[in-house]
Amino acid sequence: MTSSDAEEFRAKHLSEAEGAVLRADGLIAGYLPGVNILNDTDLYCQPGELVGIIGPNGAGKSTLLKALFGLVKIHEGTVQLNGEDITGKRADELVTRGIGFVPQTNNVFPSLTIEENLEMGCYQAPKKFSERFDFVTGIFPALGERRKQRAGGLSGGERQMVAMGRALMMEPSVLLLDEPSAGLSPVMQDEVFVQTRKINKAGVSVVMVEQNARRCLQICDRGYVLDQGRNAYTGPGRALADDPKVIELYLGTLGAKGD
Ligand SMILES: Nc1ncnc2c1ncn2[C@@H]1O[C@H](COP(=O)(O)OP(=O)(O)OP(=O)(O)O)[C@@H](O)[C@H]1O
Ligand SMILES: [Mg+2]
C-alpha cells in the first residue's frame, strides 16, 4: 500500500465513520514493547451493520478484535463506543458498556451447563437473565431445549451457539466474533453464517473476523482486508469479493476454503 493509498483510506474512513456504534482510529498496538502488530488500523461499524474482516494468517485480525475489547495494549490511536472514548478500558467494563466478544478458542465453560454458561454471560446483571435467555433461545432454540446439558459434551457447532449466546446475554450494542466458523463441518459453517445474519437482523451490530473469506464477504454489508496490521482494502462485501486485486491477493487461496 503506497502512502497516497493510505491517505485516501484514512480520508474515506473519517468521512464515513461519523455516528458509528464502534470505531477505531489509527490503532497501533501489540503484545510486546517495540513490536507492533497493528500498524495504524482504522475500522468502523455503523448501527445495524454486519462488518467482516478477512486477511491472511497472522495479519492481526484477532489482535484487532482483542484491542477493541481491551485485551491488547493500545500504544496509539483511539477506540470509541457510541461516541465515547473507551481506549484502554478493561474488558469487563466494556461488557457492561455494550460490547460482546466471542474469542477464537476456549469460548465456553465446558464443565457448566448451557444455562449456567448463559448465566455467566450476565453475571454483572443477573436480573436480566430471564428476558435475555428468552431472546437468546429465540435465536438458538436448541439451547433452550438442552439447557441442562453440559457444554463440554456438545458438538463444535453447538458450542459456538453457546458462546454467541453467552455474549448476547448483556444485550450488547455490538458483537465481536472471531472466526466463528473455524473448525466446523461445511454444513455447520453455513449454519453459523445464517445464525450470524439472524443475530444482526435482530438489531445487533456485528464485527466478524473470518477465515472463510468468500462466504464472509457474501453475507457482510461491508468488509475490510487486513494485511500486516494495516487495512489493505475496504468496501461493500460483494464489491470486495469481485475486486480482481482482492481475488488475486487474498481470495485465491483463502476463498477456496469452504467453497
Ligand atoms: N499473545 C501473544 N503474544 C505475542 N504475540 C502474539 C500473541 N498473539 C498473537 N501474536 C502475534 O501477533 C501476530 C498477529 O496474530 P493474530 O492472532 O492477531 O493474527 P490473525 O490474523 O488472527 O491470524 P489467524 O488467521 O491465524 O487467526 C502474529 O505474528 C502472532 O504471532
Ligand atoms: Mg486469529
Side-chain angles (χ1 to χ4, degrees):
M1 194 175 194
T2 64
S3 63
S4 74
D5 285 344
E7 272 167 36
E8 202 177 302
F9 193 102
R10 170 66 43 81
K12 187 171 151 66
H13 168 76
L14 291 175
S15 73
E16 293 176 358
E18 195 78 14
V21 53
L22 185 67
R23 70 181 280 181
D25 289 81
L27 286 192
I28 297 184
Y31 301 91
L32 305 168
V35 184
N36 293 325
I37 304 296
L38 300 181
N39 295 295
D40 207 9
T41 313
D42 299 321
L43 172 129
Y44 70 86
C45 176
Q46 291 292 351
E49 246 190 334
L50 172 49
V51 169
I53 304 170
I54 63 165
N57 293 122
K61 304 181 297 296
S62 296
T63 304
L64 175 55
L65 289 196
K66 286 190 265 179
L68 296 173
F69 193 61
L71 297 174
V72 172
K73 187 154 174 49
I74 294 171
H75 303 308
E76 278 181 49
T78 56
V79 184
Q80 290 175 49
L81 179 68
N82 293 314
E84 258 184 88
D85 189 343
I86 55 160
T87 318
K89 297 250 182 275
R90 284 180 14 191
D92 57 342
E93 188 182 340
L94 296 179
V95 170
T96 317
R97 284 176 180 242
I99 303 187
F101 175 54
V102 180
Q104 193 167 347
T105 50
N106 299 327
N107 54 20
V108 298
F109 298 98
S111 62
L112 301 184
T113 64
I114 290 176
E115 183 169 355
E116 288 163 347
N117 266 278
L118 297 179
E119 275 170 14
M120 291 300 286
C122 65
Y123 75 94
Q124 293 157 314
K127 284 200 186 119
K128 275 180 180 274
F129 177 78
S130 123
E131 185 210 320
R132 295 306 293 168
F133 183 81
D134 290 348
F135 175 83
V136 167
T137 53
I139 292 180
F140 303 114
L143 298 187
E145 289 153 20
R146 302 166 70 177
R147 60 201 285 177
K148 298 295 178 201
Q149 207 167 323
R150 279 188 208 286
L154 302 175
S155 71
E158 290 164 341
R159 276 210 296 272
Q160 197 58 44
M161 283 188 231
V162 175
M164 292 203 270
R166 179 189 48 73
L168 288 169
M169 290 301 284
M170 282 293 281
E171 202 172 356
S173 43
V174 61
L175 181 65
L176 310 178
L177 302 175
D178 196 350
E179 305 222 0
S181 82
L184 302 181
S185 68
V187 172
M188 278 316 299
Q189 289 193 10
D190 273 346
E191 186 65 22
V192 162
F193 284 106
V194 169
Q195 286 159 350
T196 304
R197 200 80 193 129
K198 205 165 155 189
I199 291 169
N200 178 245
K201 291 268 180 251
V204 184
S205 311
V206 177
V207 178
M208 97 187 300
V209 164
E210 255 299 326
Q211 36 95 39
N212 193 337
R214 201 172 284 280
R215 191 81 177 87
C216 176
L217 294 181
Q218 278 167 355
I219 70 152
C220 70
D221 298 313
R222 210 158 43 75
Y224 289 89
V225 182
L226 198 68
D227 198 351
Q228 296 179 37
R230 284 194 181 84
N231 306 104
Y233 296 93
T234 183
R238 279 170 196 282
L240 282 182
D242 293 336
D243 183 327
K245 272 189 284 186
V246 174
I247 293 171
E248 185 193 334
L249 291 171
Y250 305 101
L251 295 181
T253 50
L254 282 172
K257 280 193 203 172
D259 276 0

